[in-house]
Amino acid sequence: SLLASGETDADGRLKDLGPAELPAGVYRLIFDTGAYHGPDAFYPEVVVCFRITAPGVHHHVPVLLSPFAYSTYRGS
């Protein structure tokens, strides 16, 4: 079920997304990269699935995007 949605700011960041604390579980972020790269985007969306094991801990999940590649990691 959808917990939250939002749009990034001019720096490509979304500072407040969803509830302040999520319970342990598996979550999915869907990035609409086609809106950024346009209708001919090679990756029209990027899906990042991750697990929260420690509720209450800050989770920073960046996506680095170029026209034909992307990467992600757990940030601090």
Side-chain angles (χ1 to χ4, degrees), residues 29-43:
L29 293 172
I30 302 171
F31 295 85
D32 179 14
T33 53
Y36 179 75
H37 278 297
D40 295 327
F42 187 72
Y43 294 110

Side-chain angles (χ1 to χ4, degrees), residues 4-76:
S5 65
E7 291 186 27
T8 56
D9 62 19
D11 291 328
R13 298 175 184 271
L14 182 59
K15 296 190 169 100
D16 294 314
L17 178 67
E21 184 174 313
L22 294 170
V26 176
Y27 294 89
R28 180 174 293 127
L29 293 172
I30 302 171
F31 295 85
D32 179 14
T33 53
Y36 179 75
H37 278 297
D40 295 327
F42 187 72
Y43 294 110
E45 70 179 20
V46 170
V47 179
V48 179
C49 187
F50 61 99
R51 182 181 315 272
I52 291 179
T53 57
V57 174
H58 176 76
H59 288 79
H60 177 73
V61 185
V63 171
L64 308 174
L65 180 65
S66 70
F68 299 105
Y70 68 88
S71 64
T72 185
Y73 59 94
R74 178 169 179 198
S76 55

